[in-house]
Amino acid sequence: KYIKERRKMKGSILIFRDLCNKFEDLVRIKYKVKDDEGAFNKLSMQKEYKKFEKDINLIRKIRNLLSHGECKIEGKTAIEINENIIEKLKEIISLLENPPLVTSRYITEMFVVDLEEKLEKLIKVMNEKKISHVPVLDKDKKLVGVFSENTIFSKLSEDEIIEIGKEYKVKDYEKYIKLENHSSEYFDFIKRNEELASAQNLFNKSIKKDKKLVMLFVTENGKKNEKILGILTPWDLLDM
């Protein structure tokens, strides 16, 4: 029985070492890690792997102990790699090999309008549903602009007096819904099969010329002249 246990221990250590090597190879390629950088440290600092930070650092310490021969007593290995460690390392490697894509998180059931939408109705829905930004699409589902709370203020700052009667439509505000005419916010596009981490990075670096990124529009290839497939906001990535 003792011999079997020793063989099992050696087997788990070999598996662990192989997985660590695979882990390092994947991280070095994915994040272009330099020779003087540590793959374990590099991944633990990535926001999308923040929830694994403690696990990654623990695995790194165990790997170092095994590599430097500091875990032996009288020449015999004094450490055992249990199934939990192996499974956690496999989980992290699986995420490296198959990272979640934008398609796994983006919102497809959007509230959208066209230029003929009555302004009074739109504002009422926005107020009732607590919606701050509404995409305005054409007949081909391509983006015309975004109607937001700031749209009215932009028009007000220019016209000083505005009217919102039953006869007014979104097209009466067409100038102000254009993406480039939003004064304090901006929008960007991302392809549907992009890694979700790329979307997160865009939001993390969201300040551009004193404007904040508030929404990503998902299209097939991330181009603004394509059909809108869905949206992503910072709120959709809060748990990452």
Side-chain angles (χ1 to χ4, degrees):
K1 183 179 179 180
Y2 174 76
I3 294 173
K4 286 183 178 180
E5 288 297 322
R6 294 293 297 173
R7 286 176 178 172
K8 183 180 179 182
M9 184 184 297
K10 287 183 178 180
S12 64
I13 290 174
L14 287 174
I15 291 171
F16 176 78
R17 281 175 169 161
D18 286 343
L19 288 172
C20 283
N21 289 336
K22 185 175 183 180
F23 170 95
E24 289 187 294
D25 288 342
L26 288 168
V27 174
R28 289 187 183 282
I29 293 171
K30 184 178 179 68
Y31 294 98
K32 298 179 175 59
V33 179
K34 298 177 182 177
D35 292 338
D36 58 344
E37 291 183 288
F40 285 90
N41 285 333
K42 185 71 173 182
L43 195 69
S44 67
M45 292 187 292
Q46 304 304 312
K47 189 171 182 180
E48 62 266 32
Y49 287 89
K50 197 69 177 175
K51 66 178 180 179
F52 294 109
E53 184 179 7
K54 289 183 179 179
D55 297 320
I56 292 171
N57 287 328
L58 176 60
I59 291 168
R60 175 180 56 80
K61 290 176 182 178
I62 296 172
R63 192 282 313 266
N64 289 343
L65 282 172
L66 290 171
S67 298
H68 300 150
E70 298 171 4
C71 55
K72 290 185 178 182
I73 297 177
E74 296 181 357
K76 296 179 181 179
T77 302
I79 191 170
E80 180 179 354
I81 306 298
N82 63 37
E83 196 64 27
N84 289 337
I85 296 172
I86 296 292
E87 289 305 311
K88 183 57 66 175
L89 190 47
K90 285 181 178 179
E91 181 184 353
I92 297 169
I93 287 172
S94 178
L95 278 175
L96 283 166
E97 292 180 317
N98 304 288
L101 304 179
V102 167
T103 49
S104 69
R105 192 67 68 94
Y106 75 129
I107 307 301
T108 56
E109 295 183 5
M110 309 169 287
F111 173 60
V112 300
V113 296
D114 58 28
L115 289 172
E116 295 300 319
E117 183 70 47
K118 292 288 182 66
L119 203 58
E120 185 180 47
K121 178 183 176 183
L122 170 58
I123 293 173
K124 183 179 180 181
V125 173
M126 290 177 68
N127 185 52
E128 289 176 348
K129 296 188 176 183
K130 303 296 186 290
I131 300 172
S132 59
H133 297 81
V134 178
V136 181
L137 307 183
D138 64 17
K139 59 182 178 62
D140 297 317
K141 304 300 181 185
K142 294 179 182 179
L143 191 68
V144 176
V146 177
F147 190 97
S148 71
E149 297 165 340
N150 290 333
T151 303
I152 296 174
F153 290 111
S154 295
K155 184 171 175 59
L156 180 60
S157 66
E158 191 168 296
D159 294 355
E160 295 185 0
I161 298 176
I162 60 174
E163 295 182 46
I164 304 176
K166 292 183 178 180
E167 72 278 11
Y168 285 91
K169 298 180 179 180
V170 173
K171 66 181 180 182
D172 295 310
Y173 282 69
E174 188 170 1
K175 172 184 174 181
Y176 306 96
I177 66 172
K178 292 185 181 299
L179 300 191
E180 63 271 19
N181 288 339
H182 286 253
S183 59
S184 61
E185 56 197 13
Y186 75 98
F187 309 84
D188 212 337
F189 295 79
I190 192 168
K191 61 182 178 181
R192 62 188 296 274
N193 286 326
E194 184 66 78
E195 289 186 19
L196 201 56
S198 297
Q200 187 179 54
N201 288 335
L202 286 172
F203 284 121
N204 290 344
K205 303 171 183 177
S206 67
I207 302 299
K208 182 190 291 185
K209 294 181 179 179
D210 295 325
K211 292 185 178 184
K212 185 174 181 62
L213 178 62
V214 295
M215 186 178 289
L216 286 172
F217 291 103
V218 182
T219 66
E220 188 64 33
N221 300 296
K223 297 179 180 178
K224 62 181 180 181
N225 61 346
E226 295 180 307
K227 176 182 177 181
I228 301 299
L229 303 175
I231 58 172
L232 270 177
T233 71
W235 297 100
D236 301 317
L237 306 177
L238 279 179
D239 61 335
M240 289 187 66

